[in-house]
Amino acid sequence: MMDSDARLVQEILRLKQARKAVILAHNYQLGEVQDIADFVGDSLELSQKAAGTDAEVIVFCGVHFMAETASILCPDKTVLLPDMHAGCPMADMITADGLREKKKEHPGATVVCYINSSAEVKAESDVCCTSANAVRLVDKLADRKEILFVPDQYLGHYVSTKTGREMILWPGFCPTHIRIKSQDIIRLRGEHPQAKVVVHPECRPEVVALADEVLSTGGIIRFAANTEVQEVIVGTELGIIHRLRKENPDKRFIPASEQAVCPRMKLITLENILWTLEEMAPEVKVPEEIRLRARTAVDRMLEVA
Ligand code: SF4
């Protein structure tokens, strides 16, 4: 680490203590951001951490909907997002107005919304899910006549195949995960015949069909720690490779595609984390009326989780 980075880290840690803050980072964050975080995890793990922390300030190193989820769960805490431009393009593919229109076409449908959605969209939904619990959650809705799944059509498709449940799918997708192609997996399998292939369910169905395991990022981390195999082909955003290599130095992790980079996740840097702690801004605060309705959907998910 360069001297300037070491100074930055020192100053972040000092201010973090002074502000009684906790730093939460998603598995897709830059390596140096993961390294200074108190906790690194997937969306579900991070929302559970946010719900359970006794810190007064949460610095959320991830994208906007994740900071919103922390604000939904912890209205009394200050939730900071070091760069307000760190939004999720998939979450932006659906609006509350758009969802209300769709609900009119399917009155009575149960709306399951992926956590990658705005607080307003969560407020219009019956239950929230993450990629770690979506299958279990939809399984529990066996008595519901119709399910509308938003906004990720590929996660929705995967859940449908696992549960045998037909669902109405919103046509959203992750622009980063669709960069992983089935040809990438076929080529890498040829080059590494002993390797296992693990992919995230945001990948295209033809990529998912080629995988040995389909897991959330938290699931990929656990799989890597427990597997007997020495080589793993990893089909998700590249940031996770840092943590996989750090925690499993004796194993080899091969990205399914070098193109799978989420530019919004990479907007969070050591510099803007320090700035956010100095200025106590920008803050993400969900308006109370929306928060209460969104909270119901998130709480239903956490009960199942
Ligand atoms: S990786 Fe995809 S789903 Fe995740 S934040 Fe980036 S665009 Fe959104």
Side-chain angles (χ1 to χ4, degrees):
M1 184 179 287
M2 288 160 59
D3 278 359
S4 59
D5 275 1
R7 276 199 300 279
L8 264 176
V9 169
Q10 215 176 15
E11 194 50 16
I12 288 169
L13 298 179
R14 188 190 67 74
L15 263 179
K16 186 185 80 165
Q17 213 173 6
R19 304 285 196 219
K20 296 190 173 59
V22 66
I23 301 178
L24 304 181
H26 191 270
N27 288 318
Y28 296 160
Q29 288 291 293
L30 292 169
E32 60 265 32
V33 171
Q34 295 187 30
D35 291 344
I36 53 112
D38 295 291
F39 184 79
V40 183
D42 64 18
S43 305
L44 176 62
E45 294 161 343
L46 293 176
S47 53
Q48 286 168 325
K49 277 282 165 196
T53 183
D54 50 14
E56 291 172 14
V57 175
I58 299 173
V59 179
F60 216 109
C61 304
V63 288
H64 191 265
F65 75 81
M66 297 177 178
E68 273 193 335
T69 308
S71 169
I72 289 166
L73 290 166
C74 319
D76 301 333
K77 298 191 192 305
T78 304
V79 180
L80 303 171
L81 181 64
D83 187 329
M84 280 304 236
H85 296 103
C88 166
M90 180 209 283
D92 294 342
M93 289 177 189
I94 184 168
T95 61
D97 279 347
L99 178 52
R100 278 191 284 270
E101 285 305 308
K102 196 74 181 168
K103 281 162 69 174
K104 279 187 205 152
E105 289 170 28
H106 301 277
T110 299
V111 180
V112 179
C113 88
Y114 189 23
I115 198 160
N116 296 32
S117 53
S118 68
E120 285 189 324
V121 165
K122 289 184 177 76
E124 287 295 327
S125 303
D126 295 293
V127 60
C128 198
C129 72
T130 69
S131 55
N133 58 26
V135 170
R136 207 158 7 121
L137 220 134
V138 168
D139 255 340
K140 287 206 178 255
L141 299 174
D143 59 334
R144 307 299 172 97
K145 218 168 86 235
E146 238 183 346
I147 296 177
L148 170 58
F149 190 95
V150 303
D152 185 7
Q153 61 180 308
Y154 295 136
L155 175 61
H157 178 273
Y158 172 69
V159 172
S160 272
T161 59
K162 292 301 280 183
T163 58
R165 182 77 204 245
E166 239 182 77
M167 301 191 292
I168 306 147
L169 303 179
W170 190 270
F173 60 90
C174 165
T176 295
H177 282 86
I178 65 159
R179 294 197 190 129
I180 301 170
K181 305 274 170 29
S182 48
Q183 301 93 290
D184 296 324
I185 308 290
I186 293 165
R187 178 178 49 79
L188 287 168
R189 266 207 196 278
E191 291 169 13
H192 306 274
Q194 310 298 330
K196 287 271 184 206
V197 176
V198 289
V199 306
H200 193 279
E202 285 173 21
C203 289
R204 298 165 185 271
E206 60 270 29
V207 170
V208 166
L210 291 171
D212 296 305
E213 302 284 346
V214 184
L215 297 165
S216 66
T217 58
I220 293 174
I221 296 288
R222 284 186 289 282
F223 172 86
N226 297 328
T227 184
E228 295 292 308
V229 299
Q230 291 304 302
E231 284 188 312
V232 184
I233 296 165
V234 184
T236 190
E237 209 274 347
L238 279 184
I240 198 170
I241 300 289
H242 172 80
R243 185 168 168 200
L244 288 170
R245 288 181 179 154
K246 189 171 154 185
E247 293 181 4
N248 308 277
D250 52 329
K251 292 176 184 163
R252 183 158 182 222
F253 299 97
I254 304 141
S257 167
E258 296 289 345
Q259 310 288 313
V261 176
C262 175
R264 304 294 182 89
M265 281 278 179
K266 308 308 187 216
L267 288 176
I268 311 298
T269 61
L270 291 180
E271 284 81 0
N272 57 29
I273 292 171
L274 177 59
W275 186 86
T276 216
L277 276 164
E278 270 169 0
E279 301 292 319
M280 292 293 282
E283 184 178 357
V284 173
K285 185 121 191 99
V286 176
E288 192 60 6
E289 185 269 327
I290 293 168
R291 188 188 77 80
L292 288 173
R293 288 191 293 134
R295 173 88 197 224
T296 308
V298 175
D299 277 347
R300 285 187 187 131
M301 171 188 82
L302 291 176
E303 277 163 30
V304 174

